[in-house]
Amino acid sequence: MAPYFLIFTTFTVVPVVMSLLLSFTHYNMLEPPTWAGWSNYIRLLVQDDVFLIAVKNTILFAAITGPISYMACFLFAWLINELPPRLRAFLTLVLYAPSISGNVLLIWQLLFSSDSYGYANSFLMSWGFILEPVQWLQDPRYMLGILIIVQLWLSLGTSFLAFIAGLQNVDRTMYEAGAIDGIRNRWQELWFITLPAMRPQLMFGAVIQISTAFAVAEVSVNLLGFPSVDYAGHTIVTHLMDFGTIRFELGYASSIATVLFSMMLLTNLLTQKLLRKVGE
Amino acid sequence: MRIIKAYKFKRLNRSLGVDLLLFAVIGMVACFMALPLVFTINNAFKPIDEIFQFPPKLFVRNPTFKNFIDLVHIFNDSWVPFSRYIFNTFFITTTGTAGHVLLASAAAYPLAKIKFPGRSVLFSIVVLSLMFTSHVTQVPNYMTISWLGLIDTYWAIILPAFGMTLGLYLMKQFMEQIPDALIEAAKMDGASEYRIFWQIVMPMVKPAWLTLIIFALQNLWSGSAIKFIYSEQLKTINDVFGQIAAGGIVRTGPVAAVTLLMMVVPITVFIVTQSNIIQTMSTSGLKD
């Protein structure tokens, strides 16, 4: 146990604590940090209009993708679990494919390409729904929606695999006992036996999904560009990248990270409360 | 009719109709999810004129191995033998994965099953650290690694991988499900903590560490080491492939071949581990 925590502390706890401290300083990575008190936070919440757009986008995004992808992860893991091992392994691979292959976003660029050859445009035009190509990835009306769709498509990842493994750990005899106790269909079985038995995995999945839903950035940067048109695809993390890696205001970037962190923390508390009610 | 009867007998609380409906849904979703795989495989075999065809096509019409042959030529020209890059990546990936799975499991066991002061505090630190974005911790991390003198060595990648948070959390959650009675019974029979860990706990959470192997491997295999490793002979395949891609638009074909090759290892490991994830919970008459 000791070796793990030694390494964990060095490479995870220390950097986190350092950046928490940095959030109270002005630091440009060249000169030593100077103490700033709460000024980073005040600037962030009161003066930074773009940050408010980022917060709005992130919350909207997380509120939609978080719960849906979480449930999808569980649902598919649960359905696949009843198949024979080989078929299950194959289907798991196919469903997990977007997370394992490198160039996934290319497909979406093709699909939503803004000329009339993009798949979405050419389909809608040939059916007569639209007369000229839509600029899917540049029009603020569609950008957040597309971001949500792509992220949902990517969502069968870590928690999905954890759920598959978790389902193997459910005691089979409990299903037989349940059938005797009057459980009549698969949905009752799911609610009264499977879900409560998987509570540790459900908690794990929740934490993972919350941190991915709130920290969305890569998809937005690759698909919508950085910065995106009218900041329509701007999220808290892209805002953070802007200040951290382009403007080198690391103190300010750290304060953004801290705000994001507290948002996740709050969501996590709520979710864990809800999860305790499962199966009652 | 007999088949349907046998089917009903075998599976508790299931009806054929709902089964069919649900699996039709899975099938449709699966087709959609398989797109990147199909795309990558097809692209690797496309001749150059099909890669640049406009509008782009998903499926290849005249499959060719030219991209792979070009790739071999590129590697023959580099001054570090290609096998060295393969060795680098394999060394980093296997050491990092093995170390992480072992250390995280060993740390998760006491956290899940042994009561000691500060346990819950320690565990909340672990969960909380999962939620902190890595974008801001990168700079402090670099400073730590350089202070330890690990820059430009394999260990700059391997050592932090040992202490990844995900594994500990995953293993701890699975170990929590093991009935306390089982461990107490083993203790009664005189088994040491060490023996309990290896012979009872680890076999029971086999699905968990099989899954963890995928996570760790995928992370190390496709991760970039370019921030910490500068010497050409120490670079990983992934970073070298990045350099090939930087060679410009004429390299598009070989890059497509590379993308496919890079997926082979994770997918193989994935299939092997996933088909070995089987029922492990055997409470054998224990009551909590």
Side-chain angles (χ1 to χ4, degrees), chain A residues 4 7 19 82 88 94 96 99 117 119 153 168-171 183 186 189 197 200-201 264-265 268, chain B residues 11 13-14 19 30 33 54 56 128 131-132 159 164 169 173-174 177 218 270 277 279-281 283:
Chain A
Y4 176 86
I7 297 171
S19 67
E82 311 200 334
R88 191 185 62 213
V94 170
Y96 190 65
S99 314
Y117 294 113
Y119 292 147
W153 179 73
Q168 295 303 316
N169 262 17
V170 178
D171 191 351
I183 280 177
R186 72 172 83 210
E189 184 185 289
Q201 282 83 15
M264 289 191 197
L265 211 65
N268 187 41
Chain B
R11 292 151 48 102
N13 287 328
R14 295 293 181 269
D19 264 354
M33 303 297 269
F54 199 84
L128 292 186
M131 291 188 220
F132 210 87
L159 216 54
M164 279 190 298
Y169 189 26
Q173 293 300 84
F174 274 81
Q177 291 177 317
Q218 206 191 334
F270 188 89
I277 291 188
Q279 187 97 46
T280 46
M281 205 58 153
T283 41

Side-chain angles (χ1 to χ4, degrees), chain A residues 76-77 80-81 83-96 100 157-168, chain B residues 170 206-215 218 266-279:
Chain A
F76 283 107
I80 280 180
N81 187 51
L83 302 171
R86 256 165 228 278
L87 184 61
R88 191 185 62 213
F90 173 73
L91 264 179
T92 315
L93 173 67
V94 170
L95 291 177
Y96 190 65
I100 212 168
T158 310
S159 335
F160 173 60
L161 291 192
F163 288 157
I164 287 185
L167 282 163
Q168 295 303 316
Chain B
L170 185 78
K206 191 175 164 204
W209 52 260
L210 281 174
T211 307
L212 182 56
I213 287 177
I214 298 174
F215 293 149
Q218 206 191 334
I267 287 182
T268 315
V269 175
F270 188 89
I271 292 176
V272 171
T273 51
Q274 280 297 316
S275 34
N276 278 311
I277 291 188
I278 38 158
Q279 187 97 46

Side-chain angles (χ1 to χ4, degrees), chain A residues 32-271:
Chain A
T34 51
W35 190 252
W38 288 97
S39 72
N40 281 334
Y41 290 94
I42 293 167
R43 179 178 155 206
L44 187 64
L45 298 173
V46 180
Q47 295 175 345
D48 195 340
D49 292 336
V50 180
F51 179 68
L52 293 182
I53 300 177
V55 170
K56 191 201 84 195
N57 285 344
T58 308
I59 290 180
L60 195 65
F61 181 87
I64 296 173
T65 61
I68 296 181
S69 65
Y70 183 61
M71 284 184 231
C73 279
F74 184 83
L75 195 71
F76 283 107
W78 178 62
L79 290 174
I80 280 180
N81 187 51
E82 311 200 334
L83 302 171
R86 256 165 228 278
L87 184 61
R88 191 185 62 213
F90 173 73
L91 264 179
T92 315
L93 173 67
V94 170
L95 291 177
Y96 190 65
S99 314
I100 212 168
S101 37
N103 58 352
V104 287
L105 295 172
L106 234 86
I107 307 258
W108 291 94
Q109 268 159 359
L110 231 66
L111 191 61
F112 288 116
S113 160
S114 53
D115 49 44
S116 57
Y117 294 113
Y119 292 147
N121 276 334
S122 100
F123 176 78
L124 289 175
M125 278 164 81
S126 68
W127 279 65
F129 286 117
I130 51 173
L131 292 175
E132 47 193 60
V134 175
Q135 302 234 313
W136 296 109
L137 302 176
Q138 284 80 33
D139 189 329
R141 275 176 301 170
Y142 305 114
M143 282 157 72
L144 197 64
I146 289 174
L147 202 60
I148 288 172
I149 295 174
V150 176
Q151 189 66 35
L152 282 177
W153 179 73
L154 281 168
S155 63
L156 294 182
T158 310
S159 335
F160 173 60
L161 291 192
F163 288 157
I164 287 185
L167 282 163
Q168 295 303 316
N169 262 17
V170 178
D171 191 351
R172 255 324 102 107
T173 53
M174 286 186 0
Y175 292 123
E176 286 153 30
I180 295 166
D181 286 348
I183 280 177
R184 283 290 155 258
N185 59 45
R186 72 172 83 210
W187 310 106
Q188 281 183 359
E189 184 185 289
L190 176 68
W191 182 253
F192 290 110
I193 301 175
T194 314
L195 282 175
M198 281 186 56
R199 205 167 274 139
Q201 282 83 15
L202 290 177
M203 299 232 176
F204 173 84
V207 171
I208 299 291
Q209 290 301 337
I210 289 169
S211 49
T212 35
F214 275 98
V216 60
E218 233 164 89
V219 181
S220 168
V221 170
N222 288 325
L223 209 60
L224 305 178
F226 177 55
S228 47
V229 178
D230 273 357
Y231 292 112
H234 209 58
T235 66
I236 298 184
V237 176
T238 56
H239 198 58
L240 189 157
M241 284 155 70
D242 184 9
F243 281 92
T245 52
I246 295 175
R247 307 186 202 201
F248 293 114
E249 292 185 41
L250 208 64
Y252 193 60
S254 297
S255 68
I256 299 175
T258 312
V259 171
L260 179 64
F261 177 63
S262 14
M263 283 165 67
M264 289 191 197
L265 211 65
L266 210 68
T267 321
N268 187 41
L269 280 178
L270 281 173
T271 318

